[in-house]
PDB file of all heavy atoms in Angstrom:
ATOM      1  N   PHE E  92      40.069 -59.250  49.552  1.00  0.00           N
ATOM      2  CA  PHE E  92      38.808 -59.147  50.276  1.00  0.00           C
ATOM      3  C   PHE E  92      38.629 -57.694  50.713  1.00  0.00           C
ATOM      4  O   PHE E  92      39.595 -57.061  51.150  1.00  0.00           O
ATOM      5  CB  PHE E  92      38.801 -60.055  51.506  1.00  0.00           C
ATOM      6  CG  PHE E  92      38.686 -61.521  51.213  1.00  0.00           C
ATOM      7  CD1 PHE E  92      39.749 -62.371  51.457  1.00  0.00           C
ATOM      8  CD2 PHE E  92      37.500 -62.043  50.706  1.00  0.00           C
ATOM      9  CE1 PHE E  92      39.648 -63.735  51.196  1.00  0.00           C
ATOM     10  CE2 PHE E  92      37.390 -63.410  50.448  1.00  0.00           C
ATOM     11  CZ  PHE E  92      38.457 -64.253  50.687  1.00  0.00           C
ATOM     12  N   PRO E  93      37.403 -57.172  50.641  1.00  0.00           N
ATOM     13  CA  PRO E  93      37.199 -55.771  51.008  1.00  0.00           C
ATOM     14  C   PRO E  93      36.945 -55.564  52.500  1.00  0.00           C
ATOM     15  O   PRO E  93      36.464 -54.506  52.906  1.00  0.00           O
ATOM     16  CB  PRO E  93      35.957 -55.391  50.195  1.00  0.00           C
ATOM     17  CG  PRO E  93      35.166 -56.653  50.133  1.00  0.00           C
ATOM     18  CD  PRO E  93      36.190 -57.774  50.044  1.00  0.00           C
ATOM     19  N   ASP E  94      37.284 -56.563  53.321  1.00  0.00           N
ATOM     20  CA  ASP E  94      36.975 -56.488  54.745  1.00  0.00           C
ATOM     21  C   ASP E  94      38.090 -57.160  55.551  1.00  0.00           C
ATOM     22  O   ASP E  94      39.179 -57.419  55.034  1.00  0.00           O
ATOM     23  CB  ASP E  94      35.605 -57.119  55.036  1.00  0.00           C
ATOM     24  CG  ASP E  94      35.469 -58.531  54.458  1.00  0.00           C
ATOM     25  OD1 ASP E  94      36.479 -59.268  54.441  1.00  0.00           O
ATOM     26  OD2 ASP E  94      34.364 -58.901  54.025  1.00  0.00           O
ATOM     27  N   GLU E  95      37.790 -57.474  56.804  1.00  0.00           N
ATOM     28  CA  GLU E  95      38.819 -57.969  57.719  1.00  0.00           C
ATOM     29  C   GLU E  95      39.336 -59.362  57.363  1.00  0.00           C
ATOM     30  O   GLU E  95      40.320 -59.838  57.955  1.00  0.00           O
ATOM     31  CB  GLU E  95      38.272 -57.972  59.159  1.00  0.00           C
ATOM     32  CG  GLU E  95      37.144 -58.948  59.436  1.00  0.00           C
ATOM     33  CD  GLU E  95      35.784 -58.482  58.933  1.00  0.00           C
ATOM     34  OE1 GLU E  95      35.680 -57.305  58.517  1.00  0.00           O
ATOM     35  OE2 GLU E  95      34.835 -59.288  58.951  1.00  0.00           O
ATOM     36  N   ARG E  96      38.724 -60.040  56.419  1.00  0.00           N
ATOM     37  CA  ARG E  96      39.228 -61.352  55.987  1.00  0.00           C
ATOM     38  C   ARG E  96      40.569 -61.250  55.266  1.00  0.00           C
ATOM     39  O   ARG E  96      41.278 -62.262  55.127  1.00  0.00           O
ATOM     40  CB  ARG E  96      38.211 -62.027  55.071  1.00  0.00           C
ATOM     41  CG  ARG E  96      36.957 -62.526  55.753  1.00  0.00           C
ATOM     42  CD  ARG E  96      35.944 -63.036  54.749  1.00  0.00           C
ATOM     43  NE  ARG E  96      35.406 -61.956  53.921  1.00  0.00           N
ATOM     44  CZ  ARG E  96      34.526 -62.127  52.933  1.00  0.00           C
ATOM     45  NH1 ARG E  96      34.104 -63.346  52.643  1.00  0.00           N
ATOM     46  NH2 ARG E  96      34.071 -61.092  52.257  1.00  0.00           N
ATOM     47  N   GLU E  97      40.914 -60.079  54.781  1.00  0.00           N
ATOM     48  CA  GLU E  97      42.107 -59.904  53.966  1.00  0.00           C
ATOM     49  C   GLU E  97      43.377 -59.850  54.822  1.00  0.00           C
ATOM     50  O   GLU E  97      43.578 -58.928  55.614  1.00  0.00           O
ATOM     51  CB  GLU E  97      41.979 -58.617  53.135  1.00  0.00           C
ATOM     52  CG  GLU E  97      43.168 -58.337  52.250  1.00  0.00           C
ATOM     53  CD  GLU E  97      43.532 -59.527  51.383  1.00  0.00           C
ATOM     54  OE1 GLU E  97      42.678 -59.986  50.590  1.00  0.00           O
ATOM     55  OE2 GLU E  97      44.675 -60.019  51.527  1.00  0.00           O
ATOM     56  N   GLU E  98      44.272 -60.841  54.633  1.00  0.00           N
ATOM     57  CA  GLU E  98      45.483 -60.894  55.444  1.00  0.00           C
ATOM     58  C   GLU E  98      46.449 -59.757  55.120  1.00  0.00           C
ATOM     59  O   GLU E  98      47.257 -59.360  55.969  1.00  0.00           O
ATOM     60  CB  GLU E  98      46.192 -62.243  55.278  1.00  0.00           C
ATOM     61  CG  GLU E  98      46.841 -62.476  53.933  1.00  0.00           C
ATOM     62  CD  GLU E  98      47.765 -63.700  53.928  1.00  0.00           C
ATOM     63  OE1 GLU E  98      47.967 -64.298  54.996  1.00  0.00           O
ATOM     64  OE2 GLU E  98      48.278 -64.029  52.845  1.00  0.00           O
ATOM     65  N   MET E  99      46.368 -59.187  53.918  1.00  0.00           N
ATOM     66  CA  MET E  99      47.289 -58.128  53.539  1.00  0.00           C
ATOM     67  C   MET E  99      46.995 -56.804  54.240  1.00  0.00           C
ATOM     68  O   MET E  99      47.782 -55.854  54.144  1.00  0.00           O
ATOM     69  CB  MET E  99      47.284 -57.941  52.025  1.00  0.00           C
ATOM     70  CG  MET E  99      47.816 -59.134  51.256  1.00  0.00           C
ATOM     71  SD  MET E  99      49.519 -59.578  51.702  1.00  0.00           S
ATOM     72  CE  MET E  99      50.407 -58.162  51.065  1.00  0.00           C
ATOM     73  N   LEU E 100      45.894 -56.728  54.954  1.00  0.00           N
ATOM     74  CA  LEU E 100      45.642 -55.557  55.792  1.00  0.00           C
ATOM     75  C   LEU E 100      46.771 -55.353  56.798  1.00  0.00           C
ATOM     76  O   LEU E 100      47.030 -54.227  57.234  1.00  0.00           O
ATOM     77  CB  LEU E 100      44.309 -55.705  56.524  1.00  0.00           C
ATOM     78  CG  LEU E 100      43.032 -55.481  55.711  1.00  0.00           C
ATOM     79  CD1 LEU E 100      41.815 -55.896  56.527  1.00  0.00           C
ATOM     80  CD2 LEU E 100      42.917 -54.019  55.285  1.00  0.00           C
ATOM     81  N   ALA E 101      47.441 -56.439  57.148  1.00  0.00           N
ATOM     82  CA  ALA E 101      48.533 -56.366  58.123  1.00  0.00           C
ATOM     83  C   ALA E 101      49.673 -55.475  57.654  1.00  0.00           C
ATOM     84  O   ALA E 101      50.430 -54.939  58.475  1.00  0.00           O
ATOM     85  CB  ALA E 101      49.058 -57.767  58.431  1.00  0.00           C
ATOM     86  N   VAL E 102      49.810 -55.307  56.336  1.00  0.00           N
ATOM     87  CA  VAL E 102      50.865 -54.449  55.785  1.00  0.00           C
ATOM     88  C   VAL E 102      50.275 -53.276  55.013  1.00  0.00           C
ATOM     89  O   VAL E 102      50.929 -52.689  54.148  1.00  0.00           O
ATOM     90  CB  VAL E 102      51.836 -55.253  54.892  1.00  0.00           C
ATOM     91  CG1 VAL E 102      52.680 -56.186  55.752  1.00  0.00           C
ATOM     92  CG2 VAL E 102      51.102 -56.035  53.806  1.00  0.00           C
ATOM     93  N   GLY E 103      49.023 -52.922  55.328  1.00  0.00           N
ATOM     94  CA  GLY E 103      48.402 -51.766  54.694  1.00  0.00           C
ATOM     95  C   GLY E 103      48.079 -51.957  53.230  1.00  0.00           C
ATOM     96  O   GLY E 103      48.040 -50.983  52.468  1.00  0.00           O
ATOM     97  N   MET E 104      47.822 -53.208  52.814  1.00  0.00           N
ATOM     98  CA  MET E 104      47.557 -53.480  51.406  1.00  0.00           C
ATOM     99  C   MET E 104      46.323 -54.353  51.260  1.00  0.00           C
ATOM    100  O   MET E 104      46.351 -55.444  50.702  1.00  0.00           O
ATOM    101  CB  MET E 104      48.782 -54.105  50.734  1.00  0.00           C
ATOM    102  CG  MET E 104      50.000 -53.191  50.786  1.00  0.00           C
ATOM    103  SD  MET E 104      51.468 -53.831  49.971  1.00  0.00           S
ATOM    104  CE  MET E 104      51.092 -53.443  48.260  1.00  0.00           C
ATOM    105  N   GLY E 105      45.205 -53.846  51.811  1.00  0.00           N
ATOM    106  CA  GLY E 105      43.916 -54.487  51.599  1.00  0.00           C
ATOM    107  C   GLY E 105      43.379 -54.095  50.237  1.00  0.00           C
ATOM    108  O   GLY E 105      44.136 -53.861  49.293  1.00  0.00           O
ATOM    109  N   ALA E 106      42.078 -54.003  50.114  1.00  0.00           N
ATOM    110  CA  ALA E 106      41.490 -53.640  48.826  1.00  0.00           C
ATOM    111  C   ALA E 106      41.921 -52.243  48.389  1.00  0.00           C
ATOM    112  O   ALA E 106      42.060 -51.967  47.194  1.00  0.00           O
ATOM    113  CB  ALA E 106      39.966 -53.729  48.903  1.00  0.00           C
ATOM    114  N   VAL E 107      42.140 -51.352  49.347  1.00  0.00           N
ATOM    115  CA  VAL E 107      42.684 -50.021  49.072  1.00  0.00           C
ATOM    116  C   VAL E 107      43.984 -49.891  49.849  1.00  0.00           C
ATOM    117  O   VAL E 107      44.003 -49.958  51.080  1.00  0.00           O
ATOM    118  CB  VAL E 107      41.687 -48.912  49.481  1.00  0.00           C
ATOM    119  CG1 VAL E 107      42.313 -47.538  49.269  1.00  0.00           C
ATOM    120  CG2 VAL E 107      40.395 -49.028  48.667  1.00  0.00           C
ATOM    121  N   TYR E 108      45.086 -49.714  49.137  1.00  0.00           N
ATOM    122  CA  TYR E 108      46.389 -49.687  49.784  1.00  0.00           C
ATOM    123  C   TYR E 108      46.612 -48.368  50.531  1.00  0.00           C
ATOM    124  O   TYR E 108      46.302 -47.288  50.015  1.00  0.00           O
ATOM    125  CB  TYR E 108      47.512 -49.833  48.750  1.00  0.00           C
ATOM    126  CG  TYR E 108      47.542 -51.121  47.974  1.00  0.00           C
ATOM    127  CD1 TYR E 108      48.449 -51.285  46.925  1.00  0.00           C
ATOM    128  CD2 TYR E 108      46.683 -52.166  48.256  1.00  0.00           C
ATOM    129  CE1 TYR E 108      48.508 -52.457  46.189  1.00  0.00           C
ATOM    130  CE2 TYR E 108      46.730 -53.349  47.525  1.00  0.00           C
ATOM    131  CZ  TYR E 108      47.638 -53.487  46.490  1.00  0.00           C
ATOM    132  OH  TYR E 108      47.689 -54.646  45.761  1.00  0.00           O
ATOM    133  N   THR E 109      47.179 -48.478  51.702  1.00  0.00           N
ATOM    134  CA  THR E 109      47.630 -47.299  52.441  1.00  0.00           C
ATOM    135  C   THR E 109      49.145 -47.281  52.604  1.00  0.00           C
ATOM    136  O   THR E 109      49.716 -46.277  53.043  1.00  0.00           O
ATOM    137  CB  THR E 109      46.977 -47.238  53.836  1.00  0.00           C
ATOM    138  OG1 THR E 109      47.305 -48.436  54.562  1.00  0.00           O
ATOM    139  CG2 THR E 109      45.464 -47.114  53.708  1.00  0.00           C
TER     140      THR E 109
END
Side-chain angles (χ1 to χ4, degrees):
F92 287 112
D94 52 35
E95 67 282 351
R96 288 174 293 178
E97 180 52 59
E98 70 168 355
M99 295 301 292
L100 284 170
V102 290
M104 299 182 80
V107 176
Y108 297 174
T109 58

